[in-house]
Amino acid sequence: MLTRSATVSRSCVPLPEPAATASQAGPRRISILGATGSIGESTLDIVRRNRDDYKVVALTANGNTEALARLAIEFDAEFAALGDADKYSELHAVLEGTSIQYGAGEEALDEAASINVDWTMAAIVGIAGLRPTIAAMNATNTIALANKECLVSAGSVFTRAMQDTCTTLIPVDSEHSAAFQAIDASGAENIETITLTASGGPFREWDAARIASATRAEALAHPKWSMGPKISIDSATLMNKGLEVIEAWHLFPVEPNQIDVVVHPQSTIHCLVSYRDGSVLAHLGAPDMRTPISFSLAWPRRMEVPVPRLNFAELGRLDFEPPDPERFPCLALARAALERGEAACTVLNAANEVAVQHFLDGGLTIDGIARVVEATLEAAEKNGTIATLNGIASVYAIDTQARAMAQALL
Ligand SMILES: NC(=O)c1ccc[n+]([C@@H]2O[C@H](COP(=O)([O-])OP(=O)(O)OC[C@H]3O[C@@H](n4cnc5c(N)ncnc54)[C@H](OP(=O)(O)O)[C@@H]3O)[C@@H](O)[C@H]2O)c1
């Protein structure tokens, strides 16, 4: 059974002094890790509409030089960093002669993340976001966490880093932002369950044989959310919900058996928190990430966001159904990893990242993702890879071994 060394709950997150918020203290300095992605673009859309309130300090991407340079120039960023060191000359060619400092490679990412700002959006996809996010914590930046994989992979190493640096973390994942808002001040002992909703993804009504022959384009065509490729595939397999169960366990003061998942195809309710007096507090909103992103940016206030408003008469009904473990085994794999311990979660995430990339590259069917993850977990159990996490080096060691095992299985 997994034990936590740290629990980050709403009541543990210190409220900032009102004076520290935008309207009273001038522009807030912000950085965006993963600025060229879906979350990064949505974040910058909000900033673009509120230019006087925010000063963009650092922006990062991996290899998308053109988009990073364009955004850095548009927002007059102080520093732009690419993760891919080989792209340095491309970035140099575009940004040389501007006032923007720039770099490429792991150290440049860390340098960008390490700049002290008021707020950092952690929106790099995958475990690649772990080191920069911890660098941003070390700089005492408030973290808006979209990058769930770094929390799933590093578990207590991540939450201990939060505690050691007194980091204020605001969840950005829509379900976790919703839970953060629906958990009241009555105390953890009053919470019975946290129910995360899942849209069901593009294959909700497909039979297993049809899912097995799904194309890349079909898997990427999410019915409700517009997202980057990795999370879109995770949504199609329901691994995303499994990662979110693990994320919720780290963020909120509940046990794994208090975290439920329900399929809700309209994606109108994002999370429900049930209390011991029979009350259920739900968070509703249009499926647009600008709402949870803006919440993390304006918290503890709220800001005007031009997302579609809910019209309940037009909505008419809200549907719910249990997730199907036969067609979507990834959710149960994630729950099993959570029960097994946090190193199993590191293995789960690594194997999933490898398998998803392989599917996107055309080398695996979508139902093969669960098989690769399950087989990697079994192999890791047998050869002793699933050990205790006792620092960032152990996270990377287990992640590297699990990736090699998953590759070998492929
Ligand atoms: N999209 C959503 O609606 C949504 C909702 C909830 C949570 N999330 C979470 O937010 C994170 C980002 O998702 P996304 O959909 O925005 O992904 P995305 O569209 O694929 O964007 C990923 C960003 O990370 C950068 N990146 C990728 N690999 C990198 C590496 N090795 N080193 C440094 N930077 C790297 C990309 O740069 P390049 O453009 O140069 O490749 C891009 O800026 C994920 O953890 C996801 O689970 C997303």
Side-chain angles (χ1 to χ4, degrees):
M1 181 71 179
L2 187 56
T3 52
R4 272 176 294 189
S5 60
T7 296
V8 184
S9 71
R10 186 172 196 271
S11 57
C12 300
V13 180
L15 283 169
E17 293 299 318
T21 57
S23 59
Q24 288 152 12
R28 288 178 79 202
R29 287 164 54 82
I30 68 169
S31 290
I32 302 168
L33 312 178
T36 51
S38 166
I39 292 286
E41 291 280 5
S42 293
T43 307
L44 287 167
D45 179 76
I46 294 169
V47 174
R48 196 175 277 118
R49 294 166 193 275
N50 298 274
R51 288 296 288 260
D52 292 344
D53 294 335
Y54 302 101
K55 164 77 187 107
V56 173
V57 176
L59 297 175
T60 80
N62 189 35
N64 195 344
T65 314
E66 184 277 325
L68 181 72
R70 175 174 42 78
L71 293 169
I73 291 167
E74 178 190 349
F75 287 94
D76 191 23
E78 293 171 15
F79 195 94
L82 287 171
D84 184 348
D86 294 341
K87 298 270 182 165
Y88 177 80
S89 50
E90 275 182 24
L91 194 61
H92 176 70
V94 196
L95 293 184
E96 190 193 13
T98 69
S99 60
I100 302 163
Q101 291 183 287
Y102 50 90
E106 229 170 57
E107 283 175 12
L109 274 190
D110 286 354
E111 190 178 343
S114 299
I115 300 172
N116 175 250
V117 289
D118 298 309
W119 183 90
T120 297
M121 166 56 77
I124 292 174
V125 62
I127 197 174
L130 177 60
R131 203 187 310 264
T133 304
I134 290 185
M137 286 184 198
N138 286 332
T140 69
N141 303 341
T142 290
I143 304 293
L145 186 73
N147 175 209
K148 68 196 89 185
E149 296 96 335
C150 67
L151 179 54
V152 169
S153 295
S156 62
V157 172
F158 187 92
T159 52
R160 191 161 303 125
M162 282 181 59
Q163 289 196 326
D164 291 348
T165 52
C166 297
T167 293
T168 298
L169 182 144
I170 321 281
V172 171
D173 231 343
S174 58
E175 299 77 2
H176 303 73
S177 171
F180 183 83
Q181 297 174 63
I183 292 175
D184 68 15
S186 65
E189 68 281 8
N190 290 306
I191 299 174
E192 278 185 351
T193 53
I194 293 180
T195 304
L196 309 175
T197 57
S199 70
F203 306 140
R204 183 175 66 86
E205 295 179 303
W206 292 28
D207 64 30
R210 193 171 166 210
I211 293 174
S213 61
T215 64
R216 183 184 195 271
E218 288 168 332
L220 287 172
H222 196 280
K224 289 288 172 190
W225 297 92
S226 167
M227 306 181 289
K230 197 266 180 179
I231 185 175
S232 295
I233 301 307
D234 284 347
S235 298
T237 63
L238 251 62
M239 179 60 92
N240 184 49
K241 217 43 59 178
L243 300 177
E244 287 178 7
V245 168
I246 299 169
E247 181 185 12
W249 182 79
H250 282 296
L251 292 178
F252 305 117
V254 287
E255 295 304 322
N257 64 5
Q258 291 176 280
I259 306 170
D260 284 343
V261 171
V262 69
V263 174
H264 166 47
Q266 290 92 354
S267 294
T268 299
I269 299 180
H270 304 300
C271 184
L272 306 104
V273 181
S274 309
Y275 292 90
R276 64 177 179 163
D277 63 359
S279 302
V280 181
L281 301 190
H283 177 282
L284 289 75
D288 188 317
M289 284 306 294
R290 288 176 299 174
T291 294
I293 292 168
S294 72
F295 177 81
S296 74
L297 187 55
W299 182 82
R301 295 189 164 84
R302 290 184 190 265
M303 62 199 292
E304 175 73 28
V305 187
V307 296
R309 271 31 180 180
L310 295 180
N311 179 323
F312 291 96
E314 266 176 23
L315 259 174
R317 54 186 271 182
L318 297 175
D319 298 301
F320 304 95
E321 62 198 40
D324 178 355
E326 302 297 326
R327 290 178 301 139
F328 302 102
C330 284
L331 177 56
L333 288 174
R335 280 195 181 279
L338 178 58
E339 291 292 343
R340 174 64 185 85
E342 54 189 356
C345 298
T346 317
V347 172
L348 173 100
N349 180 71
N352 184 56
E353 285 194 27
V354 169
V356 169
Q357 192 55 53
H358 216 64
F359 169 73
L360 287 169
D361 293 342
L364 186 68
T365 56
I366 196 153
D367 59 335
I369 293 173
R371 286 197 295 276
V372 170
V373 172
E374 184 171 19
T376 307
L377 280 162
E378 280 169 11
E381 186 70 76
K382 278 194 195 124
N383 74 9
T385 299
I386 298 182
T388 312
L389 295 189
N390 54 13
I392 192 91
S394 69
V395 175
Y396 285 117
I398 294 170
D399 175 78
T400 304
Q401 286 176 49
R403 279 169 197 271
M405 281 184 265
Q407 286 289 359
L409 285 161
L410 283 162

